[in-house]
Amino acid sequence: MRTTRAGLWRVIYIARSERQAQRIEELLREGGFMVDRRPTMGDSAEDIEIKALESEAEEARLYLMERGL
């Protein structure tokens, strides 16, 4: 059974701007998390999906919540 790249990552946050996405990505990297991001496929061209590894997703979400996001 092959695992697709998409299956390794989980969206944990939707940033509303490039600036916010950079800030969140920096926070997560400082916390030791691997991060990926890409524009959403939705209506807003500025929305950016912030993704963490599937195995770290819950911990990464909690990490952001502890920092007020």
Side-chain angles (χ1 to χ4, degrees):
M1 184 169 138
R2 282 184 7 194
T3 303
T4 63
R5 185 176 189 274
L8 297 175
W9 298 92
R10 180 182 293 180
V11 175
I12 61 167
Y13 198 91
I14 304 291
R16 301 298 176 199
S17 67
E18 178 64 28
R19 184 180 211 172
Q20 185 183 36
Q22 287 175 347
R23 180 174 168 243
I24 293 166
E25 186 175 3
E26 287 171 9
L27 275 173
L28 288 168
R29 288 190 192 280
E30 287 172 6
F33 298 98
M34 291 187 67
V35 182
D36 187 27
R37 64 177 169 146
R38 69 170 23 135
T40 63
M41 298 296 177
D43 295 333
S44 177
E46 292 190 22
D47 289 351
I48 300 168
E49 295 177 344
I50 306 295
K51 299 178 181 184
L53 288 174
E54 179 77 32
S55 61
E56 299 177 340
E58 188 64 31
E59 187 178 351
R61 272 193 225 110
L62 292 173
Y63 183 82
L64 290 177
M65 286 176 45
E66 290 171 356
R67 277 141 190 86
L69 295 170

